[in-house]
Amino acid sequence: MKIIVLVKQVPGTDSVKLDPVTGVMVRTGKDTIINPLDENALAEAIRIKNTYPDVKITAVSMGPISAMKAIKEAIAMGADDGILVSGREFAGSDTIATAKVIAAAIKKTGDFDMILCGERATDGETGQTAAMIAHYLGVPAQTYVSALEVLEDGVIVKRTVESGFERVQVTFPVLVSVNKDISDTGFPTLDGKLKAKKVEVPMLGNAELGFDKSELGLTGSPTRVVKIFSPKLSRDTIMVKANATMQPIDELMSFLVQKDVL
């Protein structure tokens, strides 16, 4: 079984920055981590690998050269190898352009059985990219998955929905985006770190993927952040002191009538 795990390098919680002009996330800097929910996806892939024979895990990431750190960390945790999709032409891509590029990179890896990824990334919180990747690959997507059972030709997943849970059986190939309940995250091991140093991680750019430049980056992104601003909290507060009389209640009722609430 071949499992692809999508790992995204994101800024640490305290270092999220946006370019005020373009609205694009600033992804340079040393304070970066693997997206936490992608770590849950990786942990589930490793659990499957430890349970079933002949499982290979490939970590795939799209980002600047510094995103190689995320690939190496994934290998140190238990992935077998990885691929980094990187190039200046990809900078500023929205979820649509990103999904298109990642799907093309996955196709370059050959046939696969399952793609695992987090349901969303902490630097965007859109939760859109996974389903879009499935669309471009032409495979079914199962989202908000909190547990899965591997079958001979597919998986049974437990999806979190508004009314509770639902169980869905789907055949391979399939994309599964997971929530934090899927598996406890692990840690790199010493053997894993030594392996990660030795593994050569190939990089794919547009020379290998062959997109027209109009499809990439800001130019190829039909959605973008128009304006960035800090929210302002401004309220005209009226204090009504409670006492033994009906006066505070009368004042409150009068205020609600004035505001057309009553």
Side-chain angles (χ1 to χ4, degrees):
M1 179 192 301
K2 181 178 178 180
I3 301 175
I4 292 175
V5 179
L6 304 181
V7 293
K8 185 178 185 182
Q9 179 178 264
V10 298
T13 306
D14 297 329
S15 61
V16 177
K17 296 180 181 179
L18 294 174
D19 187 313
V21 177
T22 64
V24 174
M25 187 74 63
V26 178
R27 302 190 184 277
T28 57
K30 296 181 179 180
D31 188 14
T32 57
I33 59 173
I34 292 180
N35 178 52
L37 286 172
D38 292 342
E39 286 195 358
N40 291 109
L42 176 61
E44 179 64 9
I46 293 169
R47 181 195 71 81
I48 295 170
K49 180 180 178 180
N50 292 336
T51 306
Y52 301 93
D54 301 323
V55 174
K56 180 184 178 183
I57 302 172
T58 298
V60 176
S61 185
M62 174 179 168
I65 299 296
S66 59
M68 184 66 75
K69 172 186 172 184
I71 296 289
K72 291 287 188 176
E73 187 170 352
I75 294 172
M77 288 180 178
D80 295 289
D81 55 22
I83 294 173
L84 176 62
V85 184
S86 186
R88 294 183 63 85
E89 60 270 31
F90 304 137
S93 296
D94 68 353
T95 53
I96 298 174
T98 296
K100 190 183 299 184
V101 170
I102 292 177
I106 291 174
K107 288 179 181 178
K108 288 284 185 181
T109 70
D111 294 336
F112 62 89
D113 296 291
M114 182 162 52
I115 299 171
L116 288 172
C117 61
E119 68 182 43
R120 66 187 186 278
T122 57
D123 64 349
E125 296 287 347
T126 64
Q128 299 169 348
T129 309
M132 291 178 180
I133 291 172
H135 166 73
Y136 285 118
L137 289 172
V139 301
Q142 295 298 319
T143 55
Y144 303 105
V145 172
S146 58
L148 66 81
E149 175 188 349
V150 176
L151 306 176
E152 184 176 345
D153 61 346
V155 291
I156 298 175
V157 299
K158 178 183 178 183
R159 298 185 64 243
T160 303
V161 294
E162 289 183 357
S163 57
F165 300 96
E166 65 179 21
R167 287 168 60 85
V168 180
Q169 182 173 336
V170 59
T171 56
F172 295 136
V174 61
L175 182 146
V176 177
S177 65
V178 306
N179 60 30
K180 63 182 178 62
D181 296 325
I182 189 77
S183 282
D184 293 330
T185 57
F187 299 94
T189 64
L190 178 58
D191 287 342
K193 288 183 177 181
L194 293 174
K195 175 184 176 181
K197 285 186 176 181
K198 297 177 181 178
V199 172
E200 292 291 333
V201 176
M203 288 179 49
L204 297 180
N206 196 41
E208 290 77 24
L209 301 180
F211 285 101
D212 187 284
K213 289 186 178 181
S214 63
E215 301 178 79
L216 305 173
L218 286 172
T219 304
S221 298
T223 66
R224 67 180 60 192
V225 177
V226 176
K227 183 179 180 181
I228 301 171
F229 63 92
S230 298
K232 295 181 180 180
L233 295 177
S234 58
R235 297 171 182 164
D236 296 328
T237 304
I238 299 174
M239 300 294 293
V240 179
K241 293 184 179 180
N243 54 40
T245 70
M246 293 295 290
Q247 180 182 355
I249 297 176
D250 291 338
E251 290 184 22
L252 175 60
M253 295 296 290
S254 176
F255 174 78
L256 295 177
V257 169
Q258 181 184 350
K259 295 296 184 181
D260 291 328
V261 177
L262 293 177

